[in-house]
Amino acid sequence: MNEILRLFPNLTPRQVCQLEALHGLYAEWNEKINVISRKDIGNLYEHHVLHSLCIALAVHPTPGTEILDVGTGGGFPGIPLAIVWPDCHFRLIDGTGKKILVVKEVAKAIGLENLRATHIRGEEERGKYDFVVSRAVMPLPDLARMVRKNISTRQRNAIANGILCLKGGDLQAETASFRRYVEVTPLSTWIEGEWFKQKQLIYLPL
């Protein structure tokens, strides 16, 4: 949490409480439904919450922005982003019903009112959004093909509508076909630490 508080010094007491509550809630739910590797639950804030919030270090959406989290799993990056962007509207979807149950219960427990979670596959989603966010759900070309239909033509932000995707490793092959448009930002731009060295944020306007 210390690194999160350093990077986001303007969080309200309510937002801090919501973030602090996540560890206990995920630890409890993880005993029932494996949404995070049990070996990794001790790294929840670094590997999941802070990782998700790297999107908020790069983008500052206007109030009312509509965001779709595809393949959210246990709620990442959607839940941390919904906490720090309370004026945005989030829809979190996943093809695994048990994971969506966890998302709904965690959101309810911390009083997140700007988030809806639905058990549905990305191919079936028909809504329109300003941004689609994800964490390494699938190769970028596949993700772009799937969610292109969901990107709104209405522009309300300083950057064009599109995909904001967190990924690791060598991304040259995945980004080759988008080379003229895609922006890749190393997370080490904002955060020190071995775990973040090979991880990046991809922004692809669509």
Side-chain angles (χ1 to χ4, degrees), residues 80-195:
L81 290 175
I83 292 172
V84 301
W85 291 340
D87 296 326
C88 297
H89 306 294
F90 287 81
R91 178 163 163 85
L92 278 57
I93 64 172
D94 198 276
T96 303
K98 288 181 179 180
K99 292 181 178 180
I100 288 298
L101 170 64
V102 174
V103 172
K104 288 180 176 179
E105 292 299 323
V106 170
K108 180 180 177 182
I110 63 174
L112 271 185
E113 298 176 354
N114 59 331
L115 181 153
R116 296 174 296 132
T118 306
H119 176 207
I120 188 175
R121 289 166 53 84
E123 293 87 349
E124 302 166 312
E125 173 63 36
R126 292 290 176 263
K128 298 292 185 181
Y129 303 88
D130 301 294
F131 298 109
V132 171
V133 297
S134 79
R135 287 207 314 163
V137 169
M138 62 184 70
L140 185 63
D142 297 339
L143 180 63
R145 277 192 294 272
M146 186 176 74
V147 305
R148 191 177 294 275
K149 68 186 186 309
N150 303 115
I151 301 297
S152 173
T153 55
R154 176 186 175 183
Q155 299 288 334
R156 62 177 124 199
N157 284 282
I159 64 170
N161 296 350
I163 293 172
L164 292 160
C165 180
L166 292 159
K167 279 186 167 282
D170 187 350
L171 300 176
Q172 288 189 3
E174 284 194 48
T175 59
S177 59
F178 306 110
R179 195 171 301 281
R180 288 177 55 197
Y181 310 102
V182 72
E183 295 179 18
V184 179
T185 305
L187 300 192
S188 57
T189 302
W190 304 292
I191 304 170
E192 296 180 357
E194 193 65 30
W195 194 82

Side-chain angles (χ1 to χ4, degrees), residues 192-206:
E192 296 180 357
E194 193 65 30
W195 194 82
F196 289 94
K197 279 186 177 177
Q198 299 300 319
K199 293 184 169 51
Q200 292 122 127
L201 172 63
I202 298 174
Y203 165 55
L204 177 64
L206 286 178

